[in-house]
Amino acid sequence: GLAKESTAVFATVVGGQAIFTGLGIDKAGIDYKLRFELRDEHNISLGEVLSETFDVIVGPAYQIGIVVNPETAYGGMPWSTQPVVAIQDRGSNIVPSINSGEVTVSLLETDDLATLRSNQSMTISWDNGEAHYDGLFINEVGDHNVLTFVTDLLLPGSSKCESLPFSVGIGPAAELVFLDETSVGQALGGKAFTNQPCIEVRDKGENRLVGENNMLIVAALYSNPSNGTLSPDNSRYAPVREGIAQFRNLSIDKTGIGYRLSFTLMKRDGEHLIEMKVAALGEG
């Protein structure tokens, strides 16, 4: 296409000639055309002429660059947008002839002491000048994470590049973890347990769901050797506050050996409760 005014380059007319030097176009493409416009000392246009059309082809491998940056990221979950890096020429065009060599990703040091993890591999091969990562994730919640990519190819520009900074947020509920006491211990029939269950809700990265206050955990009898009743009924429901649910006053009326409780996470949806398919079993 025609060169835009914002990319104009000027040359002084001397002896009836204007000689341009060092002109170049970064993006490969076909049917480029240049426009040359003559202007006087008052910047008044005196005429113009167009060049013949020409193509700009991809140059030799010069550098490594990132073409797709990570975006949405949650603790313990592979990112929905995985990074893509490429071998590029001087104009940042991908060089598709590169099918040898490898590239390795790592995480720059962060204040959050995060660790980069993968379901696949940190080192992958070049394929038509590109390397597509898959399965990368970080457990720890934090801001300003930056990835660095290094290739074993010796490039005249740079064999290393970095991603844009990105954040890792708290993901959806994935597990229930007992805090402090993992067992209610020995209990007396009809009396409140000495150790009342306290449960933390975590995402896949083991981050507590801080700020989540629209859930509750429901306790029930999982093993019931003496046909007992877990009560009081309203104490079977413990609201989640800042990612923690504290049960109070739970008891079983009948004595027995081998009782076991189950705990199921529920989410409030108006007047309804939706099971989150996240559960845990307590010890007897």
Side-chain angles (χ1 to χ4, degrees), residues 142-179:
D143 299 323
H144 305 296
N145 295 290
V146 176
L147 301 178
T148 181
F149 302 86
V150 179
T151 181
D152 57 358
L153 299 177
L154 298 178
L155 302 173
S158 177
S159 296
K160 177 181 178 180
C161 69
E162 296 178 357
S163 73
L164 295 176
F166 63 96
S167 300
V168 177
I170 298 175
E175 63 175 341
L176 303 181
V177 178
F178 294 93
L179 299 180

Side-chain angles (χ1 to χ4, degrees), residues 129-209:
E130 297 184 4
H132 294 249
Y133 279 89
D134 188 27
L136 295 178
F137 66 96
I138 294 173
N139 282 339
E140 298 80 7
V141 170
D143 299 323
H144 305 296
N145 295 290
V146 176
L147 301 178
T148 181
F149 302 86
V150 179
T151 181
D152 57 358
L153 299 177
L154 298 178
L155 302 173
S158 177
S159 296
K160 177 181 178 180
C161 69
E162 296 178 357
S163 73
L164 295 176
F166 63 96
S167 300
V168 177
I170 298 175
E175 63 175 341
L176 303 181
V177 178
F178 294 93
L179 299 180
D180 301 325
E181 299 292 341
T182 61
S183 170
V184 298
Q186 188 175 24
L188 299 176
K191 299 291 185 180
F193 306 146
T194 302
N195 300 324
Q196 292 288 321
C198 183
I199 301 176
E200 182 178 66
V201 184
R202 296 179 180 177
D203 66 8
K204 287 188 175 181
E206 299 186 354
N207 304 291
R208 184 197 300 175
L209 268 65

Side-chain angles (χ1 to χ4, degrees), residues 52-267:
E52 298 293 330
T53 58
F54 62 96
D55 300 336
V56 176
I57 63 173
V58 175
Y62 179 75
Q63 65 188 10
I64 178 179
I66 185 164
V67 294
V68 177
N69 283 277
E71 295 179 357
T72 304
Y74 297 105
M77 299 178 63
W79 310 325
S80 58
T81 302
Q82 294 284 320
V84 178
V85 291
I87 300 295
Q88 302 172 331
D89 65 7
R90 286 179 177 268
S92 298
N93 301 290
I94 297 173
V95 183
S97 60
I98 303 299
N99 288 291
S100 62
E102 296 177 328
V103 58
T104 300
V105 61
S106 59
L107 183 66
L108 293 181
E109 293 184 8
T110 67
D111 295 336
D112 303 301
L113 301 178
T115 300
L116 180 64
R117 306 170 192 270
S118 177
N119 293 330
Q120 306 295 322
S121 175
M122 302 290 188
T123 299
I124 58 178
S125 301
W126 294 108
D127 183 11
N128 295 325
E130 297 184 4
H132 294 249
Y133 279 89
D134 188 27
L136 295 178
F137 66 96
I138 294 173
N139 282 339
E140 298 80 7
V141 170
D143 299 323
H144 305 296
N145 295 290
V146 176
L147 301 178
T148 181
F149 302 86
V150 179
T151 181
D152 57 358
L153 299 177
L154 298 178
L155 302 173
S158 177
S159 296
K160 177 181 178 180
C161 69
E162 296 178 357
S163 73
L164 295 176
F166 63 96
S167 300
V168 177
I170 298 175
E175 63 175 341
L176 303 181
V177 178
F178 294 93
L179 299 180
D180 301 325
E181 299 292 341
T182 61
S183 170
V184 298
Q186 188 175 24
L188 299 176
K191 299 291 185 180
F193 306 146
T194 302
N195 300 324
Q196 292 288 321
C198 183
I199 301 176
E200 182 178 66
V201 184
R202 296 179 180 177
D203 66 8
K204 287 188 175 181
E206 299 186 354
N207 304 291
R208 184 197 300 175
L209 268 65
V210 178
E212 179 56 69
N213 296 305
N214 197 37
M215 296 178 177
L216 55 82
I217 296 176
V218 181
L221 283 171
Y222 180 79
S223 298
N224 192 354
S226 301
N227 197 28
T229 299
L230 182 65
S231 62
D233 189 67
N234 60 353
S235 292
R236 295 176 47 244
Y237 300 83
V240 176
R241 295 287 183 262
E242 298 299 317
I244 294 179
Q246 174 65 67
F247 285 86
R248 304 181 190 281
N249 301 319
L250 285 178
S251 66
I252 298 175
D253 57 350
K254 296 181 180 178
T255 60
I257 298 174
Y259 278 106
R260 201 173 186 189
L261 302 180
S262 68
F263 300 89
T264 303
L265 183 65
M266 311 289 284
K267 188 177 182 67

